[in-house]
Every structure is written in C-alpha cells, then in structure tokens.
Amino acid sequence: MPGPVSLTKGRRPPGKPDTRRRLVVIGNGMAGARAVEEILARGGAEQFTITMFGDEPYGNYNRIMLSHVLSGEESDADIFLNSLHWYQDNNITLHAGVRVERIDRFTKYVFANNGHVVPYDVLIIATGSQSFMPPMDGLYTPSGSIKPGVFTFRTIDDTRNMVEHAQYEDHYRAVVIGGGLLGLEAARGLQSHGIEVDVVHSGAHLMNAQMGPDGGAILRRSVEALGIRVHTGSRTTAVLGADRVTGVRLRDRPDIACDMVVVAAGIRPNVDLAVLSGLHVERATVVDDQLRVVDEDSIYAVGECVQHRGEVYGLVAPLWEQAAVLADHVTGADTTAAYLGSRTATKLKVAGVEVASMGLTGPERETDEHIVFSEPSRGVFKSIVIRDNKMVGATLLGDSRKVAYLTQAFDKGLPLPEERISLMFDLGGPAEEQGVAELSDDAQVCNCNGVSKKSLVDVVRGGCNTVAGAMDATRAGKGCGSCKLLVKQVVEWAADGSVEEDPAASYYVPGIPLDKASLMAAIRKQGLRSVSAVFAALAPGSAEDAKSKMGLASLMKMMLADQYIDERDARFINDRVHANIQRDGTFSVVPQMKGGVTSVQQLRRIADVAEKHNIPLIKLTGGQRIDLLGVPKEDLPQVWADLDMPSGYAYGKSFRTVKTCVGKDFCRYGTGDSTKLGIEIESQFQGIEAPAKLKLAVSGCPRNCAESLVKDVGVVAVEGGRWEIYVGGAAGAHIRKGDLLASVDDPEKVKVLTGRFMQYYRENANWLERTYSFVPRVGIDHIRAVVVDDAQGLAAGLDAAMQASVDSYVDPWTERDDPLTPGQFRTSLPLTVLPQVPVR
Amino acid sequence: MITKNLFLQGVFPFEGAGLEKPVPIHRELAHFVPDGIINQTLYFRGGNSTSELITAVLMRDGAPMRYFPIGAKSDVHVPLRVVEDIEGGSVIEVFLLAADGVTGYVVIDLGMVEH
C-alpha cells in the first residue's frame, strides 16, 4: 500500500503575495471531491488556494462501483473519478493517506496526524461514513484489531483484501452479515470468486428498509436461485475461531462454518472529528440549508457525514445537490441557493436483480391505494402506494423499466393517470420509454449530431423548456430523427415535468397553425391552389415561412394533382433541380431502373455519359439503381440530355423505388413473378409525392431476397399463388418489421391495395413521418379496416385521388430543355468558406 | 437510507414512588424495536405541573439510559447530541422518578428515528 502522499504544485513565485483565501477540504471521497469540482466550476480557483485531506492513500474514486470491482467486472483502476493528475492540474494540494484529527475552530487551523497544521479561511468537512459493526462476540482479536477473515465493505482496500482472501485455495465459504443492498452485492461478488455464500439478515425479509415483505420474499427467491443461501430473522451473536474465522454463531439456529465474514450491516456517519472539535453533532454533523455547520460561519459540511433537517443521506444523489448549493455559497456565485432536502429513490442492480425503491413500502392509511403486481416465477414484483392521487411510494423488482417516470412522479407529486396499471407497464408504448433518468450524462442521445444527455439537460436548465426549443438549440434529433422520442423524454425529464406544451407540435408545417386535417379542410374550402396562396390566406400575418414550403408543396400536390399551381421557390433544392444534393455541393443523378432491371443499351449509355462528364463515382445504391455522383449543378441538364432516360427518384419526399428479387423465371425457389409486379408498381406510382419517402419491395418467395419485410410497403409471394402485403417496415435509422396488411391472390389486387394504402398514408401522416411511425401510431387494425375492408367507405375516394395523382405525372427531367427559372441550373459552387472579416 | 420517525408522547397523571425508584408512567410510553431495525433517540421534551422536581428516565431493556430532570412547574427540551444505536430486539421505555406522594401531570415527548 502506498504511504501518505502530499502533492503541492503551482505555488506562486515568491515575492508576489497570494491574496486568495485558503480553502481546506477534509475528505477526498465522492462528496469532498465533488464539492471541489463544483467550486472550481464556479471560478473557485481564482478565489481560493485549495488543500484537501484524504484518509485513503488514493485519488478520488467511485465507491458505488466497488461491488463491480469485487465481482471482477471492473478493475480498481476503472473506478477512479479524479486521478492524482487532476489535483496537480487544478493546483490542489492533496494530502492523501493523511487523517485530520482536530479542528481548532477559533484560530482556524486543522491538525493532521502526520504533524501538518494547516490554516483555513473556509473549511469543508466531507468525512463520509464508515461501516457499522454490530455488537457481537469474537469480532476483535485480543490486541484490539479486527479478526483476520472479517471484512467490512466500504473502501477500495476492503475490496482488495476481500478479493485476495477469497482467492486463497482453501477458502471456499463466506457468511455475509446483512441482507441489504450492500450485503447482497457483496454476496454476489464473492460468488464470482467461486465462494459459497450465506447471507444472515436480522430483519424479517431481505432489504427491509427498501421494500415490504412480499417484495422481500420474491427477492429472496431470486437471490436463492443464484445459489446464495439466505437466513432471515436471525441475528449473528458471535464470530467463531481463535485466531482466524471458522464460522459464525446465530441466536437461535445452528452455527455456520465459514472462512470469511463480511459485515455489511449499514453505515454510520463519521462524526468523531466534528464531535472532538466541538461542532454541533446529533446523528451526524448538523448543517443548515446552506450546508453551513450550525453556529459556524466558515465551516461547511457535505455528504454522508451531514444531518440536514433531521435527515442523514447514504446515497449519492443528495450529495450532488448538496455540493452544488455549497459551491454556490462558498464562491458567492449564488448566495440565495438553498438545499431543501432530497426525496431519495434508490435504483440499483442488486446481485443481478434490478431493484428500485422510493418512499413507502406499503399502505399506511385506510384511504391509501396499493397497487401490486407479483410474478414470483419470473422474479418480478411491483408495488405502488398512492395517497390523494399522489405517488408516495413504489417498489420495483426484476423489471425497472418504468422507474424513470415513477421517480419523477414521486419527486414532483405529478398527477397520476386514471388507469393505474399504466404506472407499472408500458401498454403499447414504445420500448424507449425506459431509463431516461439512469442514462449517464455523457450518453449520446443523438448519434447524428453527437448530442449528449448532458448538453440537452444543460439547455433545459438554461431556461429552454420546450422540446422543439431544446432540439433547435442542440441540433439533437435533427439528423436521422430516430432519436426524437428519446430527446423528448430527456427534455421532459430534465424539465422535471415543467416542460411546456409546444403548440407547434401538432402543426403540419411550422408556419401555419393548423393540424393536417384542418389545413386540408381550409385549403379545400378556400380553393387555394398554390403555396403562396396558402401563406397569404392562412399564415399569421400572411408571413411566408421557408421551412413550411416544402411540406405544403408536397401536401398540395397530393391533394390537388393537376390543379396545383407549382411554384419553384416552394421546393427544396433536390426538388428544384431533380437531383440529389451531396455534401460538397455537387449532385448525384440516378437514372430510372424500374425494379432494378436494366438493359444493354441503358448500361452502355450510362457508361458513355459517365465517361463524357468525368463522373467521379458510379455507385450501385441500396435500391438497385446506378448512382452517378459528383455532377456539378450546371451540368445537370446536359447529363440528363445525354442519358435521355427518366429520373429514378432518388430525391424528394416521394415514392422512390421498388426493389425486386429475380422472381420465378430464373430463381429455383420463386413462386411469384416479383420482377414483373415490381416494375408495374414502380411504373404506376413513379414520382408520387408523400409526407416522406416511400421505398417498396417485391419478393418472389418467403426467402425475401428483396427484403420486403422492412420496406414501407413490401410484397411477398407465398406458396399457392398468394401475395402478402406488409406495411410500415424500416431498415434505416429505425429497424422495424412491417405489419401484415393483407394476403391476396391476385397481383392486380396488390397494386390496388398498395396505391390505396399509400394514398391513406399521404392524406393522414404528419409531414416527414415515415410509415414506420405512421403505421404503429394509427394502428394496423385500423389501417386494415380502412384500406382492405373499406369499413369507412373511403376506398373509392382514396383510389380516385391516387389515380388523379398518377394521371397528372410529368417527367420532371424534361425541364432540362426549358428551365423554369433562369437560375435553376446555374452553379452555386464553389461552396467554400469566404474570407472573414477579422473579429476585433 | 429510508428512515421513519417515531414518538412516545402524551400528558400523563402520575403519583411519586420515591426518588430512587424509576416507575413506569403509562403503558403507551414503551416501544419495542423490531429485529433488523436500528433505533436512535433524538430529543426529549418534558413538562412538570407539580411544585417538586421530577425526573424522566429513558430506559433501555430495563436499565436507565438517560435522565431528564424537570424543575417544579417547569419544562425542558434536550436535543441529544450523543446519539447511539439501539439494536432491534430492545425495549425503550420512559419511566419517572418523583418524591413519594407527589401527584400531578407530566408532559412527555420523546423523538426517535428508526432505519
């Protein structure tokens, strides 16, 4: 073990007096170091010279992870929060392995056991807790030290010693005293070293502080299933063995033989220093709402050694809150900050079993509602106590997916849903509902733009309390969009229920305050035929909104077909030039290749065009087409002219491709002519606008070579001449297997249902809502009723509207000969950064 | 750590049985600490309606643990600054010492926490 270490660095050169105040921190655990971090974050380095004393000869580590170190899941190097370098880099003088023995609060000095006497202007006590040793015989050797083979489970040294002891070859049995969180963790950890473990618990059931008897019984089953023997309601009266542990004696049961004993019977605040120094100590050092020790102006205390409003906390969450308030006061950053106590909820994985607990474990009054779900065979137990429609307690065992929501409801006293069962289960809700609270701060929420949970939380703390606002500020959810739900949950969680309803959330396009149905009704009623007319008639102040144009253009084209008055500026660049803009500002051109089928002539011509125009990259796309990439904007008309083929719709929010497999003519397995059907579908619906892109596929047999199950509409030929139609699949940013819409026996019916489904989607989906969101939102049963069974009598109308759109189709590539606007194909390159005016 | 507050309290008539012999005041002023629970006593508050000194005695398993003298027609409030753990299985009671024959009322309020 390393001896005491003292690090000192960054002293000012002699001759320049240091006018900073002296901050001394006693305790280098999670609370002490966190308090210093918070102080540094508030500019504390300018105000203070900082000296820290730590009893343990290490930097600061995460005590919560010790059970992982014990079980071997993490090495002890992994759990350090601040390395010794952190102290050097922040000019903190660290005395590691040095214990402070006394505080002279009148002369303002601390006295350490290595002879150091350090003066302070501000003192922070963060001495934490130690393991509680319940009274029993034989714990100590005659010389007064703890008997070899008896361990507590509190520090990194405890853990290392336990691992070392457990790995002796002749050691194979351990008794853990205490069946709480820590005891069960210790038991599970020891098991991973091949040790047989008994847990002796004096309470009537395991974890009696956190849960009621029913939950405890189920936890016991789960723990026993792991091979850990449990003895509840039995107190250990003695540790047996003369010079080393040979067993334990129980009050009213036979002795248990063992080679080691782990005492995990709770923790007690370390208050010896405070008592000795004359501070106000009750159960722990008493502090006020500013974390200041009672009657002391320059002494603060934080963490587990603190008693605030009668409460002593043994969890980290209150500690973080305390550290922030303390730092606000010590640095003067916010002298009105106050710590008002924490409502604690524990959520842990105990011995491999998920456990979450908060508040009451059972009903106390006659009017209390108690909702219990118990499934012992699966080790699942859920109990919620409700008083006056507020949640006052919850226990979740084996399944803590709803814990994020419940914690919030408990903390904030949120009103609860009428249907109480939804407190316990996600009824048809998305699986991502789980666990926002337990995401770590640096967890990446939006993978496209690299937005962490913390940056979202910071934005919310900074006063932004709408989901859309937080998304704008961080760019979260602005990439592929697959994280939007999670972003929403994080924002709601961070705003602690005070998230404001964003009225624009229900608008079809942001610039016009109407949802889709009302917007369509208004357009029809007022006979509007162009995007600018819609803005003039419906937008507040008739203001045109660039972000709304594309959605409106698509919607109106869908609604009005050939009645629509096309306005070029209502389109996105892709739609304006009918090519796909790339990151360097060039475009890609995709010749149409229906169903992925091409010909010698087409291939030859594509090759010629690629050669003539020096196309830098020719790529086969995922949709079975050839992509000519890197075409400058001004060359687009010429490329098209040379190709003289229709566009393949690689751009725009519209129907794109129908991927097909080889089909029955060539494939040994094919049962249906998938290629033919795919080509027919693609020909029929080419260029159809939709709220988002539509990608289809037709497979000739259930082997699904065209991946039909993960398409917006996927068709699979099955034995017996039948075709199955799946809708709402996805295999991009989202993965979803499509839902079976119908099974039909005629390719013509496939086309009718495909068109009808697409029209229903076009009329009812939100702007940019892919079918994989739309189908689960509306429900496949409802879609089937409307599209297949025509339960609402809409089918004829849907078919007619789709036919009108099909009939009004014009090949947009013909614009190459007659640009609609003078600048349509004028270069906007180079897209280089222009010289900037120097910032002064 | 999930804690629960407990109180032994009330206003009780009494008759003194001698200054050496602590006697029970009322059966309500007793508490059995359940197994697996740690109890800590946090404060004592008392009032005395008589014209004599009386003393409330906090008993643990039949042995005196703390004495709280209350002056004649007076009151005390004692926040306990030395707080020890009382193990599950123990009995906590409040007894009284008062001179023989003294009768009156005593106000008792003992605050505890269990976890």
Side-chain angles (χ1 to χ4, degrees), chain A residues 132 135 202-203 208-209 235 251 267-268 279-283 311 357, chain B residues 1-3 35-36 38 40 42 79-81 83 85 87-88 113 115:
Chain A
F132 170 61
S202 60
N208 52 330
R235 192 120 50 80
R251 185 175 50 186
I267 53 170
R268 292 295 173 271
L279 303 180
H280 188 116
V281 177
E282 289 175 8
R283 293 165 63 208
E311 287 292 332
S357 146
Chain B
M1 206 175 302
I2 290 153
T3 57
D35 263 343
I38 301 284
Q40 296 175 327
L42 298 182
L80 298 175
R81 286 182 63 169
V83 180
D85 291 336
E87 286 280 303
V113 65
H115 50 87

Side-chain angles (χ1 to χ4, degrees), chain A residues 414-613:
Chain A
L414 301 181
L416 303 178
E418 280 294 311
E419 213 177 339
R420 305 297 198 210
I421 190 90
S422 60
L423 287 168
M424 286 188 180
F425 301 99
D426 288 321
L427 299 174
E432 286 98 314
E433 196 87 27
Q434 59 185 304
V436 170
E438 70 253 39
L439 277 180
S440 70
D441 275 355
D442 53 1
Q444 195 150 306
V445 173
C446 171
N447 291 321
C448 295
N449 292 311
V451 182
S452 68
K453 174 182 167 189
K454 183 169 187 306
S455 18
L456 270 174
V457 171
D458 288 347
V459 167
V460 176
R461 301 262 152 86
C464 169
N465 52 1
T466 65
V467 176
M471 282 171 58
D472 283 340
T474 59
R475 299 183 47 75
K478 301 265 178 183
C480 69
S482 64
C483 61
K484 274 184 191 163
L485 182 66
L486 187 59
V487 170
K488 180 164 170 276
Q489 288 170 349
V490 170
V491 170
E492 285 170 354
W493 172 81
D496 285 341
S498 67
V499 62
E500 277 172 18
E501 190 61 40
D502 185 2
S506 62
Y507 301 167
Y508 188 65
V509 290
I512 295 178
L514 292 172
D515 62 26
K516 185 168 188 175
S518 321
L519 177 61
M520 286 170 68
I523 290 172
R524 285 211 183 88
K525 190 170 164 215
Q526 302 189 23
L528 307 172
R529 288 178 56 200
S530 69
V531 171
S532 57
V534 171
F535 279 123
L538 302 175
S542 299
E544 295 209 354
D545 173 40
K547 281 188 194 165
S548 307
K549 284 184 177 175
M550 199 178 153
L552 278 178
S554 163
L555 178 74
M556 296 183 75
K557 194 141 186 234
M558 183 272 289
M559 287 172 63
L560 304 171
D562 58 342
Q563 298 295 300
Y564 172 64
I565 302 172
D566 194 6
E567 290 170 321
R568 290 285 130 168
D569 72 335
R571 295 180 173 194
F572 181 59
I573 176 69
N574 281 6
D575 285 296
R576 292 205 294 272
V577 301
H578 314 294
N580 205 349
I581 193 164
Q582 305 294 317
R583 98 191 269 160
D584 65 350
T586 63
F587 289 81
S588 79
V589 169
V590 180
Q592 191 172 49
M593 209 173 268
K594 290 176 185 172
V597 174
T598 183
S599 65
V600 172
Q601 291 75 22
Q602 191 175 15
L603 284 174
R604 187 172 289 136
R605 183 168 298 160
I606 290 171
D608 289 343
V609 170
E611 190 171 52
K612 176 179 173 191
H613 291 275

Side-chain angles (χ1 to χ4, degrees), chain A residues 190-255:
Chain A
L190 287 171
Q191 253 198 335
S192 64
H193 295 281
I195 301 271
E196 265 187 72
V197 187
D198 288 71
V199 172
V200 177
H201 185 54
S202 60
H205 57 268
L206 292 177
M207 286 184 68
N208 52 330
Q210 285 85 8
M211 61 180 73
D214 301 335
I218 288 174
L219 178 62
R220 178 182 184 140
R221 280 180 67 136
S222 303
V223 169
E224 285 179 335
L226 299 169
I228 296 170
R229 279 182 292 271
V230 177
H231 314 263
T232 50
S234 60
R235 192 120 50 80
T236 320
T237 54
V239 174
L240 305 175
D243 50 357
R244 63 179 198 90
V245 173
T246 60
V248 294
R249 174 151 298 152
L250 305 184
R251 185 175 50 186
D252 46 8
R253 282 169 217 211
D255 296 351

